[in-house]
């Protein structure tokens, strides 16, 4: 799976209506948060590389609500490659975890392995999209929506991680590709009862069958006797 820009994912999923407004409301990053990464060790020399491996607890809503998601607190293995470029820090990574959900056919529990790739650019606050120092006159210029600024040399991976996992998960999870699902008439699991079926009834005879079922035994006997009498007369 090719690396996907989280900015493009957010646009496709309509997760962010106004990125600029969202950033204005963001709080100061906490270096104690396991999904916050510090780039100071990397430095700002273009071409510098740093690799980071970390296992974190899954945050809330890591997946598709009420369909399939990584349980809160479940381990998520993260592999990152940080590269210093003129504009900022290019982050490329992979996240691996186990998601849980429900089969859309038979409604049985489903567990899926998640392997999500992602790539995001975190820009230096004092650089424009070409790596040049910003002039004071450009301070009020509209931010590039494809780049998220570093805050005190740190970045929060959680939004990027969430977007990547959502894209990697199926919208309609199944327990197996050939899942037979449930009987549309009685709800029986057809995987457990492959020979299960209901006799088809011609709608034209349904009313007569209902009438026959409502008659008592004596009435049926009387009708049978009457029919026999008619047959005898016809024979004579």
């Amino acid at each position: 799976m090719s690396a996907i820009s989280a900015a493009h994912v957010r646009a496709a999923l309509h997760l962010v209506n106004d990125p600029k407004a969202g950033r204005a409301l963001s709080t100061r990053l906490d270096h104690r948060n396991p999904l916050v990464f510090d780039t100071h060790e990397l430095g700002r020399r273009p071409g510098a590389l740093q690799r980071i491996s970390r296992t974190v607890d899954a945050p809330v809503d890591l997946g598709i609500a009420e369909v399939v998601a990584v349980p809160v607190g479940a381990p998520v293995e993260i592999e990152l490659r940080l590269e210093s470029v003129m504009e900022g820090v290019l982050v490329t990574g992979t996240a691996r975890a186990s998601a849980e959900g429900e089969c859309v056919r038979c409604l049985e529990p489903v567990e899926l392995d998640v392997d999500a790739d992602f790539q995001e650019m975190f820009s230096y606050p004092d650089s424009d999209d070409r790596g040049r120092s910003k002039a004071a006159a450009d301070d009020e210029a509209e931010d590039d929506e494809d780049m998220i600024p570093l805050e005190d040399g740190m970045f929060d991976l959680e939004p990027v991680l969430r977007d990547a996992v959502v894209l990697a998960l199926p919208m309609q999870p199944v327990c197996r590709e050939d899942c037979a699902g449930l009987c549309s008439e009685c709800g029986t699991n057809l995987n457990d009862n492959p020979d299960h079926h209901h006799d088809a009834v011609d709608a034209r005879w349904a009313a007569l069958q209902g009438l026959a079922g409502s008659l008592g035994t004596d009435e049926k006997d009387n009708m049978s006797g009457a029919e026999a009498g008619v047959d005898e007369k016809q024979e004579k």
Side-chain angles (χ1 to χ4, degrees):
M1 178 179 176
S2 61
I4 299 171
S5 169
H8 294 155
V9 174
R10 285 192 291 273
L13 297 177
H14 302 288
L15 297 178
V16 177
N17 293 324
D18 188 349
K20 186 175 181 181
R23 292 172 192 167
L25 296 175
S26 64
T27 58
R28 190 179 185 85
L29 297 182
D30 184 353
H31 66 88
R32 295 169 297 181
N33 184 335
L35 285 171
V36 170
F37 293 81
D38 194 328
T39 67
H40 285 103
E41 185 177 338
L42 177 67
R44 295 182 61 163
R45 180 173 59 84
L49 296 175
Q50 182 181 6
R51 297 184 183 276
I52 301 175
S53 297
R54 184 178 297 181
T55 299
V56 303
D57 294 339
V60 178
D61 298 330
L62 188 58
I64 305 172
E66 300 182 0
V67 178
V68 59
V70 179
V72 178
V76 180
E77 298 178 4
I78 297 176
E79 299 285 340
L80 295 182
R81 178 179 182 271
L82 278 57
E83 180 180 1
S84 179
V85 294
M86 291 295 292
E87 302 93 334
V89 177
L90 179 64
V91 178
T92 305
T94 300
R96 297 181 178 87
S98 180
E100 298 178 358
E102 187 177 79
C103 177
V104 296
R105 298 179 187 172
C106 67
L107 307 183
E108 290 295 320
V110 173
E111 186 170 325
L112 303 171
D113 291 331
V114 184
D115 196 338
D117 296 333
F118 52 85
Q119 187 174 76
E120 184 64 80
M121 171 68 75
F122 293 91
S123 64
Y124 296 127
D126 57 347
S127 298
D128 65 10
D129 58 0
R130 290 178 294 279
R132 301 175 305 183
S133 177
K134 288 184 178 180
D138 297 331
D139 288 343
E140 297 179 0
E142 186 173 349
D143 294 334
D144 186 338
E145 294 183 4
D146 289 339
M147 299 174 67
I148 303 174
L150 291 167
E151 298 182 27
D152 296 328
M154 298 184 294
F155 65 87
D156 185 2
L157 190 67
E158 183 173 337
V160 179
L161 174 64
R162 179 173 286 106
D163 292 341
V165 169
V166 167
L167 253 179
L169 289 171
M171 293 296 295
Q172 295 185 319
V174 292
C175 58
R176 65 190 196 202
E177 291 300 324
D178 60 347
C179 176
L182 303 178
C183 174
S184 60
E185 295 188 36
C186 66
T188 296
N189 191 326
L190 299 179
N191 296 309
D192 299 332
N193 299 276
D195 297 327
H196 173 81
H197 69 281
H198 294 271
D199 294 330
V201 178
D202 192 321
R204 294 172 296 179
W205 296 101
L208 292 178
Q209 288 185 342
L211 177 61
S214 64
L215 293 176
T217 303
D218 294 340
E219 293 175 306
K220 290 182 180 179
D221 292 341
N222 292 336
M223 291 180 65
S224 298
E227 291 175 355
V230 171
D231 293 340
E232 290 176 358
K233 290 179 179 179
Q234 290 178 347
E235 290 177 356
K236 293 178 181 181

